[in-house]
Amino acid sequence: MTLALEEQQHRNTLPKGFWLNEYQIETVLGKPGGFGITYLATDTHLRQLVAIKEYLPSEFAIREGRSTVYVRSSSYEESFQWGLKCFIEEARVLARFNHPSIVRVLRFFEANGTAYMVMEYQQGKCLSDYLKQGGILPEQELLTIILPLLDGLQEIHKAGFLHRDIKPNNIYIREDKMPVLLDFGSARYAVGQKSRSVTSIVTPGYAPLEQYDTELNEQGAWTDIYALGAVMYCLISGEAPPAATRRVRKDPMPPAIKIGEGKYNKNLLQAIDWALKLSGEDRPQSVEQWREKICTDPTPFTLGPADKSPPRWTLFNLASIVIILLLLVTIGLLWQQQDHEIQVAIERIRQETTATLGKEQLARQQVEEKLKLVENRFNLEKQRRKEVEIDYRQAQALIEVARRFEPEILGKQEISFEEFHYYDITNVPENDGFLNIREFPGHLNKIVGKIPKDEKCVEYLGGGELRFVGKHVWVKVAYKDVQGWVNSYYLMRSDRNCQPEKPVEKNK
């Protein structure tokens, strides 16, 4: 299924040489993602290269023909239009920034049933590829990358905007070594809220815990700070932190202060651990607050030149010392008689204090254990609720697919023998050429026939002949003299007159 989806995304790209207004497509930049596609193109008016991002969420939309983008079904129309609106608004906001560490948006326009964002194109490589050259970075090189990003992020937050998808793949290192933030995730997050698809809006390891809950709106500057802190953690350790969801119960992540001990400034390491706190309230609340911790350089106490010179002993100094010694001896003689009583009193107070503190410590420990137990139960119930909601949404999706074939599947007891449904083959990968018909539902079962990928009017046998296998619905069809099972993902309701001259007898 993953391979089929990647093939579909590849087919969705515009071909080389395609014209978008005055821009001519040269190639695809990077790997097409699930939210959109970024192209390298030539501005034929100014004769310079630009990057163009196309809004094409593969979950909701598909390209048919050479250029036009269509929504997969009417049920996705609202989500597609909502994401399109957010994509355009994102372009408008980014166009206001003129900062060397924020990708520069030149313009945007709507065409082909979708929208496009035109950006400056810079020579260089993403931070992920940059790290492949040397692995972890020394402190000075790390700060050379992070400090300009902090300045850019501060500008973004001042405008009331969030990046929401900071990760090495979205940080570009230009040839002059200046880092640039790319591919903002705000529009993607808005679509994810509509579709409740968490996987489309988070990057494990770099997304904080609050981004996994599409129903809450508890994001702020601390959300981007977590992501950039995770990038810094990767720069000093060579790998991303564990996903935030794995860190809730028993955190497997070694702290930065331990990993970078002796190699990096202690305050820098503490700043990374501060940014990676699970609770947003425990993280820095602003870039300014976090930068102050990062840039603090702890200097050990040293004596100045004047302090290093040997002391000068004078007659006054010696006389003062003698007088102090005499006073101490006199006081010692006076207190010697009461020394035993004082020691007894001190011992009694120490014992009473120890007993009191012991009781308070025990009580506090018991309260903390109860609070921890309640918190663990709350987190467990919250996780269970999320799992149930995910299962419920998946079940709903399967039922919606089933209803394509049996509109009254939940209440219909019998289906007339004369009732036929016909479907066209779609979505079959170009390299395959055929859709396999299997003896029983499931892709591991025996192949009993093949249907060409461009075949029309394949007969669905009806009569409730469908099965749920994992996250897919398999249906029974008849093609020529063969009956068997196919994945419904590859079928699309035919609008042709498909009545056969002699119907194939169905199994009851």
Side-chain angles (χ1 to χ4, degrees):
M1 182 62 183
T2 301
L3 179 61
L5 181 59
E6 290 179 355
E7 289 290 339
Q8 183 65 55
Q9 291 172 348
H10 179 70
R11 291 200 303 273
N12 279 339
T13 60
L14 293 172
K16 176 179 172 62
F18 188 88
W19 285 84
L20 286 170
N21 293 350
E22 69 269 28
Y23 306 102
Q24 188 174 26
I25 300 297
E26 300 292 341
T27 186
V28 175
L29 289 175
K31 186 177 181 181
F35 182 77
I37 304 171
T38 303
Y39 303 91
L40 177 65
T42 299
D43 184 334
T44 57
H45 289 178
L46 300 179
R47 296 183 179 179
Q48 64 181 17
L49 292 175
V50 295
I52 300 180
K53 185 175 180 181
E54 179 183 44
Y55 173 69
L56 205 166
S58 58
E59 184 180 0
F60 304 143
I62 189 173
R63 193 189 311 282
E64 293 190 6
R66 184 175 171 84
S67 60
T68 306
V69 173
Y70 292 94
V71 179
R72 289 183 179 272
S73 71
S74 58
S75 61
Y76 294 141
E77 183 67 28
E78 181 182 358
S79 297
F80 178 87
Q81 293 299 331
W82 172 253
L84 180 64
K85 177 182 177 182
C86 294
F87 180 87
I88 294 173
E89 183 59 28
E90 180 177 298
R92 287 195 176 107
V93 172
L94 291 176
R96 301 206 307 260
F97 297 117
N98 188 13
H99 191 280
S101 290
I102 304 174
V103 60
R104 177 71 173 146
V105 173
L106 305 176
R107 61 172 294 200
F108 73 91
F109 58 91
E110 297 184 57
N112 302 327
T114 185
Y116 299 86
M117 189 187 307
V118 183
M119 302 168 287
E120 285 184 345
Y121 175 72
Q122 300 285 350
Q123 295 288 342
K125 60 183 64 176
C126 70
L127 183 58
S128 296
D129 294 335
Y130 184 84
L131 290 176
K132 292 177 182 177
Q133 297 177 345
I136 63 176
L137 300 183
E139 180 173 336
Q140 192 56 48
E141 188 174 2
L142 181 149
L143 292 175
T144 301
I145 293 174
I146 295 301
L147 293 181
L149 293 178
L150 289 177
D151 293 337
L153 199 58
Q154 184 174 344
E155 291 295 318
I156 294 167
H157 292 170
K158 282 183 178 178
F161 204 61
L162 296 177
H163 188 288
R164 286 195 171 99
D165 195 23
I166 298 175
K167 56 186 176 183
N169 282 343
N170 287 343
I171 297 174
Y172 199 72
I173 308 298
R174 301 193 310 224
E175 290 184 339
D176 61 357
K177 304 300 183 182
M178 175 61 70
V180 183
L181 281 171
L182 303 176
D183 202 11
F184 283 56
S186 292
R188 185 187 299 106
Y189 178 77
V191 171
Q193 282 185 309
K194 282 286 184 181
S195 67
R196 297 293 187 264
S197 177
V198 174
T199 57
S200 68
I201 60 176
V202 301
T203 301
Y206 299 97
L209 201 57
E210 62 264 26
Q211 282 192 284
Y212 284 81
D213 195 332
T214 58
E215 296 181 359
L216 298 178
N217 189 19
E218 297 178 351
Q219 301 186 31
W222 50 89
T223 303
D224 284 343
I225 288 173
Y226 182 102
L228 190 54
V231 171
M232 294 173 67
Y233 187 96
C234 179
L235 296 182
I236 70 168
S237 68
E239 58 183 13
T245 50
R246 287 185 55 207
R247 300 180 55 204
V248 174
R249 296 183 181 178
K250 186 177 181 181
D251 192 352
M253 184 188 78
I257 193 70
K258 184 177 181 180
I259 292 177
E261 185 178 5
K263 303 175 185 176
Y264 300 87
N265 185 314
K266 183 178 179 180
N267 280 338
L268 174 62
L269 298 175
Q270 289 175 341
I272 295 174
D273 288 335
W274 188 17
L276 291 175
K277 296 289 185 182
L278 283 176
S279 173
E281 296 177 354
D282 296 334
R283 297 179 218 139
Q285 299 300 292
S286 67
V287 172
E288 298 93 326
Q289 185 184 16
W290 192 34
R291 184 197 287 110
E292 183 178 353
K293 179 67 174 178
I294 292 174
C295 296
T296 301
D297 185 11
T299 54
F301 174 76
T302 57
L303 295 174
D307 299 320
K308 295 180 181 179
S309 59
R312 298 177 60 188
W313 296 98
T314 64
L315 182 60
F316 177 78
N317 299 134
L318 294 173
S320 300
I321 293 174
V322 170
I323 292 172
I324 292 172
L325 289 174
L326 290 174
L327 287 173
L328 292 174
V329 170
T330 303
I331 294 171
L333 291 174
L334 291 174
W335 282 3
Q336 186 174 7
Q337 299 175 355
Q338 301 178 350
D339 181 66
H340 180 68
E341 291 83 357
I342 293 174
Q343 291 297 329
V344 171
I346 290 174
E347 180 63 22
R348 185 179 68 253
I349 294 171
R350 186 186 66 80
Q351 292 178 354
E352 293 176 352
T353 303
T354 301
T356 303
L357 290 176
K359 293 178 181 179
E360 292 181 355
Q361 184 176 5
L362 180 60
R364 183 170 63 251
Q365 184 177 355
Q366 291 175 345
V367 171
E368 289 176 351
E369 289 177 352
K370 290 180 180 179
L371 288 175
K372 188 175 182 180
L373 180 61
V374 172
E375 183 181 3
N376 289 340
R377 288 178 178 174
F378 172 77
N379 290 334
L380 182 59
E381 289 300 324
K382 186 176 180 181
Q383 182 66 26
R384 287 175 177 171
R385 187 190 69 179
K386 288 184 178 180
E387 292 172 355
V388 170
E389 288 177 351
I390 291 172
D391 292 341
Y392 174 71
R393 288 195 291 269
Q394 290 177 348
Q396 280 188 319
L398 287 175
I399 291 174
E400 288 300 322
V401 174
R403 282 176 174 161
R404 289 172 46 202
F405 299 90
E406 302 289 349
E408 302 174 13
I409 188 171
L410 299 181
K412 196 169 184 180
Q413 300 300 323
E414 294 185 5
I415 297 179
S416 173
F417 177 83
E418 289 77 16
E419 184 176 359
F420 298 100
H421 299 286
Y422 296 93
Y423 290 83
D424 297 339
I425 303 301
T426 184
N427 293 331
V428 176
E430 190 69 28
N431 294 337
D432 292 352
F434 292 92
L435 174 62
N436 293 325
I437 304 176
R438 298 189 180 269
E439 183 178 10
F440 300 105
H443 68 280
L444 297 178
N445 288 306
K446 178 182 176 182
I447 298 174
V448 297
K450 294 179 178 290
I451 307 176
K453 66 180 181 64
D454 55 355
E455 186 64 46
K456 312 298 181 185
C457 294
V458 175
E459 181 183 357
Y460 164 56
L461 293 182
E465 294 288 356
L466 52 81
R467 298 289 186 273
F468 295 97
V469 180
K471 298 180 181 179
H472 303 283
V473 175
W474 287 70
V475 296
K476 195 167 187 180
V477 300
Y479 175 67
K480 294 185 177 178
D481 58 345
V482 177
Q483 292 186 16
W485 297 84
V486 299
N487 191 334
S488 65
Y489 172 77
Y490 300 104
L491 300 181
M492 178 174 64
R493 188 68 177 266
S494 179
D495 56 359
R496 297 171 175 79
N497 183 12
C498 295
Q499 293 294 339
E501 296 180 0
K502 187 177 181 179
V504 178
E505 185 177 354
K506 306 177 182 64
N507 293 331
K508 294 186 179 180

